[in-house]
Amino acid sequence: MNITSQGSVMGCSFEAESLPDFDEFDSYSVVDGYHQESSRRPSEYKMAPTTTIETVTITRPLKVIAFICGLIVIALMLMALASTDWLMSAGWRQGLFVHCIADDAPTPLPFNIADPPDCYQARPAAYIRVAAALCVLTLVTDLIATLLTGLGLRSNDHRTKYKYYRVAVYIMILSLVSILVALVVYPVCFASELNQGNRTVWEFGWAYGVGWGAAIFLFGGVVLLLCDKESEEIYYKERKIVHRDVEGSGGRA
């Protein structure tokens, strides 16, 4: 025997069998719907992408070569200053600070010197002192110019780079002028005292040639720093940064 329960609410009738079975503790559909809705929401840890501008500096090799030329000049000038082989003759060697007399040196000695064989402080001739002072000035100024060029290569600010390069060029030009004057003054003034040399054959040693080598490298460094004005090319690159979810942050269970 089938029993059908009927009821009415505010004039509307319904049958109990037409309603789905629902328990007051059955909340599966509600929880499931909440999770589906939460999955479609943006994460609270996800941020909007940001755009940054990066500065890219490309260094051409000419400035690097100028820096290497400065280093070579430093080595050459140290060799030239330390050597006694600027001016040579039979049994006689003369440098910027020292002159040496060989054991088998024929007499009379150059410039009427009566010292025994050994090395002595250079003669107090004006041209020797001037040449020595100019060579020391060349070494110091080239050292400063090379240091400034290196700082320019290392700097990331293009304005600072150009300031370093500009000052380095001026100082390197001063260094070049100093060594050229020394290399010209030394032989010209020596020629005026040949009649006191007591020798018929004189020759300039390798140290004098090293001085000319330093002048050549200085000239090359100056040309490279002057002609390569646009050696530092600045590019601006746009990069977009996307922030991803951080796992475990915020204490999510």
Side-chain angles (χ1 to χ4, degrees), residues 160 189 229:
T160 305
C189 293
K229 294 181 180 179

Side-chain angles (χ1 to χ4, degrees), residues 34-51:
Y34 173 78
H35 284 297
Q36 292 179 359
E37 180 67 20
S38 298
S39 63
R40 290 193 292 267
R41 295 176 183 174
S43 174
E44 59 180 342
Y45 300 100
K46 183 179 293 185
M47 300 175 60
T50 58
T51 302

Side-chain angles (χ1 to χ4, degrees), residues 40-75:
R40 290 193 292 267
R41 295 176 183 174
S43 174
E44 59 180 342
Y45 300 100
K46 183 179 293 185
M47 300 175 60
T50 58
T51 302
T52 60
I53 303 298
E54 294 182 346
T55 302
V56 180
T57 303
I58 299 178
T59 302
R60 293 180 181 176
L62 295 184
K63 288 291 191 300
V64 179
I65 297 175
F67 176 75
I68 295 175
C69 287
L71 294 178
I72 294 175
V73 171
I74 293 174

Side-chain angles (χ1 to χ4, degrees), residues 23-36:
D23 190 358
E24 60 180 342
F25 299 102
D26 186 8
S27 59
Y28 172 77
S29 60
V30 177
V31 175
D32 183 63
Y34 173 78
H35 284 297
Q36 292 179 359

Side-chain angles (χ1 to χ4, degrees), residues 89-93 100-115 117 197-202:
S89 186
W92 175 270
R93 291 182 294 115
C100 295
I101 303 172
D103 294 335
D104 56 350
T107 55
L109 294 175
F111 313 108
N112 299 319
I113 293 177
D115 296 328
N198 297 326
R199 296 287 189 273
T200 57
V201 178
W202 289 89

Side-chain angles (χ1 to χ4, degrees), residues 127-146:
Y127 75 93
I128 297 178
R129 293 183 177 181
V130 170
L134 289 174
C135 287
V136 172
L137 179 62
T138 299
L139 175 62
V140 173
T141 51
D142 177 71
L143 181 62
I144 296 174
T146 304

